[in-house]
Amino acid sequence: MQPQQLSAALAELDASHSRRTRLMLESPQGPLIHVDGRDYLAFASNDYLGLANHPALIEATREGLARWGLGGGASHLVAGHFGAHQQAENELAAFVGTPAALLFGSGYAANLAVITSLMGRDDAVFADRLNHASLNDACLLSRAAFKRFRHNDLDHLESLLKSTPAKSRLIAVDAVYSMDGDEAPLAELLTLAERYDAWLYLDDAHGFGVFGDGRGSMAEQGIAGERVIYMATLGKAAGVAGAFVAGSAELIDWLVNKARTYIFTTAQPPALAEAVRTSLGLIAGEPWRRERLAQHIEMLRHTLSGVKYPLHASRSPIQPLMIGGNEQVMTLSARLREAGLWVPAIRPPTVPEGSARLRISLSAAHEAGQVQRLAEAIVAMS
Ligand SMILES: *Cc1c(COP(=O)(O)O)cnc(C)c1O
C-alpha cells in the first residue's frame, strides 16, 4: 500500500459496505449508553456480568492507586512486578484450579506469548477455523506449521494430527467462539491431545466468569492436567482489563523467561490487579449474575424462535442473529438504532463471507424488560 492508494482503497471498503467506524461513548459501559447526543439501549459489550462499572471495582482501583500509585513504571522482569500482581496471580490460579498463573496486559498479548514461546519452526499448531484473530496471529508469528481444522470437527483435527511430522504439537481453540457463541468439545479435544502428545490451549475469553460457576469452561467441563494451558481475558466478564494464562508452575516459569510479549512490555498498573482481585470476589460470590444472564438468554431465544433469521445455537451470552449479506445486516442494525437499540453488525473478514450477523450480547446488567424490548423490535422488523 502506497500513500496515494489509501483513498481509493477506503472507497472500495465503502462500496462493499465493509468500512468500519467507531462509535464514541459519552457514558460508562452499561446497558444504557450515550452516543452522539443520544441514549441507546445497548447489546454490544462483553461486560457479561455487569462489572465494568461496578462501584466495588472502582473503589478497589481507587484504594489500589492510593497504595501503589498509578504507573507500573517498568516491565515485570525489571522492576514492575508488584505485590498486587502476585496476589492476583495466586488467586486466579486457585480460582481456575491450576498450580500457577501469569498476568498479561491483554488477551492478544497472552495468546502471542504462549504460542510463540512454545512452538517454533519444526512444530505444528492445529487451530479451529473460527479461532479468534489473535490466536491466528500467534500461530503465524510462531513460524510453526499452521494447520486449520473445520469448526469443531474432531475427525478433521485427528486426520491432521495423524499425518504431522512435527516435533511438538499444540491444539488451539476458543473455548467459547467469540462471533458464534458456541463451544469447543474440551474433553474430546483433551483425549486427542493425549493420544497425539500435544498441548491443548484454551482461549476462554468468553467463558471465564460465565461458565463453571464463574471459573470458566475448563472448570465446567472438568478437564485438567499439565498439557492443558488456559487463557482468559479480564476485560470482558471480569470487567477490568488484561488477561491471564494458567497452567503448571513450569509452564508459567517458561513464559516468564521466554514470552516476548511478557518480557518486552511495561507491567499493567498494579491498581488494576487490585480491581481484578475484587472482581474475582464478585464473580465467585454473586451467582445471581449468572442466573439472571441465563434467564435473559432463555427469554431472547424463546421470543426470537419464530423470526425468519435464525439465532445460532448458543448457551453463552453471545447470541448471533444470522443475517447473511453485509447490506442486509447494516440495514437491520441501522433500523434498530433508529429505534434506540444498539446491536453491532459483524461482517467479513471478522466472520466468513456471506455470514454477516447481528451479534447480540447480553449482560446481567440488563433488565428483563430491556431484553424483551430488543426481542420485540427484532420480531417487528423481520
Ligand atoms: C477479546 C478476545 C481476545 C483478546 O483479548 P483482549 O484482552 O481484548 O486483547 C482473545 N481471544 C478471544 C476469543 C477474544 O474474544
Side-chain angles (χ1 to χ4, degrees):
M1 180 75 64
Q2 292 290 104
Q4 62 276 19
Q5 295 172 322
L6 274 176
S7 61
L10 285 167
E12 245 172 64
L13 292 180
D14 277 328
S16 59
H17 302 277
S18 35
R19 181 143 174 187
R20 283 113 188 289
T21 55
R22 299 167 297 171
L23 71 151
M24 192 175 79
L25 274 74
E26 284 148 351
S27 63
Q29 192 58 269
L32 295 172
I33 55 173
H34 196 72
V35 182
D36 289 340
R38 208 182 145 180
D39 288 318
Y40 291 92
L41 175 55
F43 296 86
S45 83
N46 304 308
D47 180 24
Y48 304 128
L49 298 180
L51 298 180
N53 189 29
H54 193 288
L57 269 61
I58 294 166
E59 190 47 37
T61 310
R62 211 190 294 281
E63 285 170 16
L65 289 168
R67 166 94 168 78
W68 304 105
L70 175 55
S75 69
H76 282 273
L77 285 172
V78 175
H81 189 60
F82 290 77
H85 294 129
Q86 188 59 53
Q87 279 175 305
E89 287 175 352
N90 296 347
E91 289 167 16
L92 286 162
F95 190 56
V96 302
T98 60
L102 191 66
L103 282 171
F104 283 86
S106 73
Y108 200 129
N111 281 342
L112 293 190
V114 174
I115 296 185
T116 63
S117 60
L118 293 175
M119 296 284 115
R121 274 187 206 291
D122 300 328
D123 305 325
V125 192
F126 301 84
D128 190 285
R129 272 204 188 282
L130 297 188
N131 275 354
H132 192 260
S134 59
L135 270 178
N136 293 337
D137 290 356
C139 295
L140 292 171
L141 193 60
S142 76
R143 300 190 181 89
F146 181 21
K147 310 276 187 193
R148 299 177 80 188
F149 57 93
R150 287 187 292 272
H151 179 51
N152 276 347
D153 186 337
L154 296 167
D155 293 333
H156 189 203
L157 169 59
E158 183 161 22
S159 73
L160 294 172
L161 283 164
K162 235 180 219 159
S163 59
T164 180
K167 270 199 198 144
S168 302
R169 293 154 295 278
L170 181 145
I171 301 168
V173 296
D174 284 15
V176 178
Y177 287 88
S178 54
M179 295 300 141
D180 295 70
D182 61 347
E183 294 155 65
L186 302 189
E188 290 86 343
L189 286 166
L190 181 57
T191 303
L192 284 180
E194 283 164 350
R195 189 176 301 154
Y196 295 95
D197 192 20
W199 294 95
L200 177 58
Y201 185 58
L202 308 177
D203 176 338
D204 201 24
H206 301 279
F208 181 72
V210 174
F211 290 137
D213 297 325
R215 290 163 205 273
S217 303
M218 178 172 70
E220 181 179 61
Q221 299 197 33
I223 65 160
E226 62 172 18
R227 69 176 65 250
V228 181
I229 306 170
Y230 182 80
M231 193 289 291
T233 60
L234 296 168
K236 290 172 180 161
V240 188
F244 69 100
V245 174
S248 71
E250 283 182 334
L251 170 78
I252 297 307
D253 205 22
W254 182 251
L255 295 178
V256 168
N257 280 276
K258 290 290 174 187
R260 298 172 65 83
T261 58
Y262 187 76
I263 298 169
F264 299 109
T265 196
T266 301
Q268 286 281 96
L272 293 185
E274 298 290 9
V276 165
R277 300 179 63 203
T278 299
S279 176
L280 276 185
L282 294 175
I283 290 171
E286 298 193 345
W288 66 264
R289 292 178 186 274
R290 282 177 291 279
E291 287 155 19
R292 190 160 144 146
L293 196 47
Q295 287 163 6
H296 292 345
I297 293 167
E298 197 191 315
M299 185 216 285
L300 182 84
R301 295 192 70 88
H302 178 77
T303 311
L304 293 187
S305 60
V307 304
K308 77 173 171 193
Y309 301 115
L311 269 179
H312 199 279
S314 161
R315 62 181 188 114
S316 76
I318 304 164
Q319 295 289 324
L321 192 68
M322 308 302 283
I323 310 296
N326 291 359
E327 199 175 345
Q328 289 125 286
V329 83
M330 295 312 286
T331 304
L332 187 52
S333 170
R335 286 181 68 198
L336 287 168
R337 202 168 298 178
E338 278 160 29
L341 295 159
W342 200 289
V343 188
I346 308 288
R347 288 162 286 167
T350 307
V351 293
E353 210 56 54
S355 73
R357 63 201 67 182
L358 282 181
R359 182 179 183 273
I360 302 167
S361 57
L362 299 172
S363 169
H366 286 121
E367 303 282 341
Q370 295 174 324
V371 181
Q372 196 65 31
R373 193 180 138 207
L374 172 72
E376 283 166 8
I378 292 174
V379 168
M381 288 176 196
S382 56

